[in-house]
Amino acid sequence: MTAQTLHVPSACGDCPIRHRAVCAHCDHDELLELEEIKYYRTFEAGQTIIWSGDMMSFVGSVVSGIATLTQTMEDGRTQMVGLLLPSDFVGRPGRDGAAYNVVATTDVVMCCFRKKPFEELMARTPHIAHRLLQMTLDELDAAREWMLVLGRKTAREKIASLLSIIARRDASVAAKGNAGPTTFDLPLTREAMADYLGLTLETVSRQISALKKDGVIQLEGKRHVTIPDMRRLMDEAGDDSDGGYLI
Amino acid sequence: MTAQTLHVPSACGDCPIRHRAVCAHCDHDELLELEEIKYYRTFEAGQTIIWSGDMMSFVGSVVSGIATLTQTMEDGRTQMVGLLLPSDFVGRPGRDGAAYNVVATTDVVMCCFRKKPFEELMARTPHIAHRLLQMTLDELDAAREWMLVLGRKTAREKIASLLSIIARRDASVAAKGNAGPTTFDLPLTREAMADYLGLTLETVSRQISALKKDGVIQLEGKRHVTIPDMRRLMDEAGDDSDGGYLI
DNA sequence: CGGAGAATTGACCTACCTCAAGATTAGTGG
DNA sequence: CCACTAATCTTGAGGTAGGTCAATTCTCCG
């Protein structure tokens, strides 16, 4: 609820995701065209950015903060199907209705492009189309990785998988199998973690407690996590020892 | 094991997936370029087309038959992460190693493109890149739909979901909420269904028996399925009544 | 006819869910 | 600064959906 003042970039040159988002490969002229059709919007933690089924007037990138993509059944069961971090793309060019709910987990700044002009720009700008293809392929891989987690891993492995994924990119882990401790803040509530993992929040809580008791993780408060030994956590996740992330 | 003679198209004009595969938007000249770098390969039912981790010398399209994309953990737990039907694309431009096992479920004909030349062609042929983006976005949607199935649905709902997906496209179902019976052959063994759904094959078998006893489906032999009332099946799948497939 | 893979069915077990009671933390207003 | 409330989280006790193990049965082919 705290309406903090969020940092909004003043121009693309200033933008923290300039080299990772859809615009990553754009040259100067292409950026100028993008500037034409873009605007920033901010959302408070907890706010719904897009409702499933709604018409989408924009697509865009997460500039800062974290948002979730969720699907819900009529009886209320919900499954998170994506975790949106800075530079991730929201919306599907070529489709008008949103297929998922997009909810801000923390305060979020979005860089929005008016949808129609963006689609036209994309049609004549291979740099953008190509980058979007790359990003979509990456997301597809992540989704498939997650299907293994959802379908075949135990609750304990699920938690360990989620923690190691968050740790891997949130804290800038040193390159290979760094043995030193890693530390980060959990951006998700227990309930959100449960929705991500196809568990109940009670089970999430129990497994976190168990991992803590076994020394796999340390907790400071409810949200601040320290991983003394990253390799140990990855073993618990059931991935092959190299992390399972082959290129 | 039957090494049947498979129909292999003699040229793109002849090809059954000409208007749905990566080449769908190509004009005549672009097709000629594709012909240069393409060749057909056939695989028998049960054969592994690609091993996870292997170098990939080609990418390509499934022309006929059905193949599966699977991920395996060290201890043998396996999860299917994709079902490849005619026109589906295999391989990831820009990556050398395969991330998944690709296995032929039936006899399969593949239209393969040598990887390097294909990547170069794609770089200067927006028609191909654009079509691949479309297809990848569709796959991502399918993967996310499947995450809901894996994470939140009951065994019975999982089976009903799988059956309704197969029914929807395998049998050419008449347009909207057709009440007439639909019939098709299951292209998957019980074990493959289990790997798709994150279940054991015993549970798959039990739930199919239950759906049969309750009149939701009818079986002739083990594989031939009749759906007397498609809407009923979709209710059992837990999707919203319109099928949940909004565009 | 015989053998092998595929499927079914039963009996039992366990990982996770459900329901419920407290504990902890953070936010609010006096 | 301190209650007061509402989230959020933890922990326990007991139930159940689906897993495991094992024995048949079915079906396809040689």
Side-chain angles (χ1 to χ4, degrees):
Chain A
M1 294 303 163
T2 37
Q4 306 170 13
T5 311
L6 295 172
H7 179 70
V8 175
S10 51
C12 292
D14 183 31
C15 180
I17 57 167
R18 164 72 179 90
H19 298 289
R20 289 182 294 144
V22 254
C23 52
H25 299 341
C26 288
D27 58 34
H28 184 70
D29 292 346
E30 289 162 352
L31 272 193
L32 288 181
E33 287 205 75
L34 275 176
E35 298 255 22
E36 284 297 305
I37 61 173
K38 87 164 204 261
Y39 55 98
Y40 292 102
R41 284 185 65 181
T42 64
F43 299 87
E44 286 181 13
Q47 236 186 311
T48 294
I49 299 176
I50 296 163
W51 293 97
S52 172
D54 276 7
M55 283 297 143
M56 298 226 6
S57 60
F58 67 90
V59 297
S61 304
V62 176
V63 177
S64 65
I66 292 178
T68 63
L69 227 54
T70 57
Q71 248 180 335
T72 308
M73 296 171 67
E74 296 134 80
D75 60 7
R77 283 177 280 176
T78 87
Q79 175 66 48
M80 198 183 300
V81 296
L83 188 58
L84 299 171
L85 301 177
S87 85
D88 281 338
F89 189 78
V90 178
R92 170 163 178 171
R95 172 161 56 190
D96 290 328
Y100 315 102
N101 293 317
V102 183
V103 181
T105 286
T106 63
D107 290 346
V108 165
V109 177
M110 293 264 320
C111 170
C112 307
F113 306 106
R114 286 182 289 124
K115 188 156 161 296
K116 252 308 172 26
F118 182 84
E119 287 170 10
E120 289 159 14
L121 181 55
M122 205 180 79
R124 55 180 151 71
T125 314
H127 279 168
I128 297 177
H130 183 249
R131 177 66 186 139
L132 188 55
L133 176 57
Q134 271 186 354
M135 293 174 69
T136 306
L137 285 165
D138 285 342
E139 274 188 274
L140 184 56
D141 277 345
R144 285 174 167 162
E145 188 73 27
W146 213 253
M147 288 172 72
L148 176 66
V149 173
L150 289 171
R152 292 302 187 194
K153 290 195 178 179
T154 64
R156 185 181 174 101
E157 289 170 335
K158 285 180 176 183
I159 298 290
S161 297
L162 178 56
L163 291 176
S164 71
I165 283 189
I166 294 174
R168 192 165 326 178
R169 57 177 174 203
D170 190 290
S172 47
V173 185
K176 333 204 86 196
N178 186 356
T182 309
T183 156
F184 59 90
D185 276 311
L186 269 179
L188 301 174
T189 64
R190 300 292 186 259
E191 187 180 20
M193 294 174 70
D195 285 344
Y196 205 148
L197 298 167
L199 297 171
T200 58
L201 82 176
E202 293 95 329
T203 299
V204 169
S205 184
R206 274 186 251 273
Q207 295 299 334
I208 288 182
S209 297
L211 287 174
K212 179 179 165 189
K213 187 162 68 64
D214 297 347
V216 181
I217 63 174
Q218 289 154 17
L219 280 182
E220 217 179 308
K222 311 289 185 189
R223 296 293 195 89
H224 193 76
V225 180
T226 301
I227 316 277
D229 180 359
M230 195 61 196
R231 178 160 301 272
R232 170 85 191 283
L233 181 66
M234 289 188 350
D235 282 351
E236 293 283 357
D239 296 328
D240 8 36
S241 38
D242 60 7
Y245 273 64
L246 71 167
I247 315 300
Chain B
M1 292 302 162
T2 36
Q4 306 169 12
T5 311
L6 295 172
H7 178 70
V8 174
S10 51
C12 292
D14 182 30
C15 180
I17 59 167
R18 165 69 180 92
H19 298 289
R20 290 182 294 146
V22 255
C23 52
H25 299 341
C26 289
D27 58 34
H28 185 70
D29 292 346
E30 289 161 352
L31 272 192
L32 288 181
E33 287 205 76
L34 276 176
E35 298 256 23
E36 283 299 304
I37 62 173
K38 86 163 206 262
Y39 55 96
Y40 292 102
R41 284 184 65 181
T42 64
F43 299 87
E44 285 180 14
Q47 235 187 314
T48 294
I49 299 176
I50 297 163
W51 293 96
S52 171
D54 277 7
M55 283 299 144
M56 299 231 359
S57 61
F58 67 90
V59 297
S61 304
V62 176
V63 176
S64 65
I66 292 178
T68 64
L69 227 55
T70 57
Q71 250 182 333
T72 308
M73 296 172 68
E74 296 134 81
D75 61 7
R77 282 176 280 175
T78 88
Q79 174 65 48
M80 198 183 299
V81 296
L83 188 58
L84 300 171
L85 302 179
S87 85
D88 282 337
F89 189 78
V90 178
R92 171 164 177 169
R95 171 159 58 189
D96 290 329
Y100 314 102
N101 294 317
V102 183
V103 181
T105 287
T106 63
D107 291 346
V108 165
V109 177
M110 293 266 316
C111 169
C112 307
F113 306 106
R114 285 181 291 122
K115 187 156 161 298
K116 251 310 170 25
F118 182 84
E119 285 170 11
E120 288 160 14
L121 181 55
M122 203 178 80
R124 57 180 149 75
T125 313
H127 279 169
I128 296 177
H130 184 250
R131 176 68 186 139
L132 188 55
L133 176 58
Q134 271 186 353
M135 293 175 70
T136 307
L137 286 165
D138 285 343
E139 274 187 273
L140 184 57
D141 277 345
R144 286 176 167 160
E145 186 75 26
W146 214 253
M147 288 171 72
L148 176 66
V149 173
L150 288 171
R152 292 302 186 194
K153 291 194 179 180
T154 65
R156 185 180 173 103
E157 289 170 335
K158 285 180 176 183
I159 298 290
S161 298
L162 178 56
L163 291 176
S164 70
I165 284 190
I166 294 174
R168 192 162 328 177
R169 55 176 175 205
D170 190 291
S172 46
V173 185
K176 330 207 89 195
N178 186 356
T182 308
T183 154
F184 58 90
D185 276 310
L186 269 179
L188 301 173
T189 64
R190 300 292 186 257
E191 187 180 21
M193 295 174 71
D195 285 344
Y196 205 150
L197 298 167
L199 297 172
T200 58
L201 81 173
E202 293 94 330
T203 298
V204 170
S205 185
R206 275 185 252 272
Q207 295 299 334
I208 288 183
S209 298
L211 287 174
K212 179 179 164 189
K213 185 162 70 63
D214 297 346
V216 181
I217 62 175
Q218 288 155 17
L219 280 182
E220 217 179 308
K222 310 289 186 189
R223 297 293 194 89
H224 192 77
V225 180
T226 301
I227 316 277
D229 180 359
M230 195 61 195
R231 179 159 300 270
R232 170 85 191 281
L233 181 66
M234 289 188 350
D235 282 352
E236 292 283 356
D239 296 327
D240 7 36
S241 39
D242 60 5
Y245 271 65
L246 70 168
I247 314 300

